[in-house]
Protein backbone atom coordinates (compact mmCIF):
# COMPACT_ATOMS: atom_id res chain seq x y z
CA UNK A 1 0.00 0.00 0.00
CA UNK A 2 1.32 3.43 -0.88
CA UNK A 3 2.30 5.62 2.04
CA UNK A 4 1.15 9.04 0.85
CA UNK A 5 0.93 12.29 2.77
CA UNK A 6 -2.48 13.90 2.36
CA UNK A 7 -2.85 17.67 2.54
CA UNK A 8 -4.28 19.06 5.76
CA UNK A 9 -3.56 15.99 7.92
CA UNK A 10 -6.96 14.44 7.19
CA UNK A 11 -6.88 10.95 8.64
CA UNK A 12 -8.39 7.90 7.04
CA UNK A 13 -10.62 5.60 9.07
CA UNK A 14 -7.74 3.13 9.36
CA UNK A 15 -5.38 5.80 10.67
CA UNK A 16 -7.98 6.93 13.20
CA UNK A 17 -8.45 3.36 14.42
CA UNK A 18 -4.67 2.88 14.77
CA UNK A 19 -4.39 6.04 16.86
CA UNK A 20 -7.35 5.05 19.00
CA UNK A 21 -5.87 1.61 19.66
CA UNK A 22 -2.51 3.07 20.66
CA UNK A 23 -4.26 5.54 22.97
CA UNK A 24 -6.17 2.70 24.64
CA UNK A 25 -2.93 0.85 25.34
CA UNK A 26 -1.35 3.71 27.26
CA UNK A 27 -1.12 3.28 31.02
CA UNK A 28 -2.53 6.13 33.03
CA UNK A 29 -1.44 6.59 36.60
CA UNK A 30 -3.69 8.28 39.14
CA UNK A 31 -2.01 10.43 41.77
CA UNK A 32 -4.14 11.09 44.84
CA UNK A 33 -1.68 13.78 45.90
CA UNK A 34 -2.26 15.82 42.75
CA UNK A 35 -6.00 15.15 42.46
CA UNK A 36 -8.44 17.90 43.28
CA UNK A 37 -12.03 17.52 44.52
CA UNK A 38 -13.44 17.20 40.97
CA UNK A 39 -10.96 14.43 40.13
CA UNK A 40 -11.92 12.47 43.23
CA UNK A 41 -15.63 12.91 42.48
CA UNK A 42 -15.11 11.76 38.88
CA UNK A 43 -13.26 8.69 40.13
CA UNK A 44 -16.09 7.82 42.54
CA UNK A 45 -18.70 8.25 39.82
CA UNK A 46 -16.68 6.08 37.45
CA UNK A 47 -16.37 3.31 40.02
CA UNK A 48 -20.11 3.48 40.74
CA UNK A 49 -20.87 3.24 37.02
CA UNK A 50 -18.55 0.23 36.71
CA UNK A 51 -20.38 -1.50 39.58
CA UNK A 52 -23.78 -0.79 38.00
CA UNK A 53 -22.62 -2.09 34.64
CA UNK A 54 -21.15 -5.21 36.26
CA UNK A 55 -24.47 -5.97 37.97
CA UNK A 56 -26.35 -5.56 34.67
CA UNK A 57 -24.02 -7.99 32.94
CA UNK A 58 -24.27 -10.62 35.69
CA UNK A 59 -28.06 -10.34 36.13
Amino acid sequence: MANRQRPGEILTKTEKMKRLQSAKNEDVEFSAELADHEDIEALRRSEAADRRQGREIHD
Side-chain angles (χ1 to χ4, degrees), residues 12-24:
T12 65
K13 184 175 181 178
T14 302
E15 291 168 332
K16 289 178 187 176
M17 293 301 292
K18 285 181 182 177
R19 288 191 182 183
L20 179 62
Q21 284 301 108
S22 66
K24 286 182 180 179

Side-chain angles (χ1 to χ4, degrees), residues 28-45:
V28 178
E29 190 172 314
F30 179 78
S31 171
E33 296 173 352
L34 299 176
D36 62 7
H37 176 70
E38 291 179 1
D39 293 332
I40 300 297
E41 179 61 26
L43 182 61
R44 287 185 187 136
R45 293 176 65 149

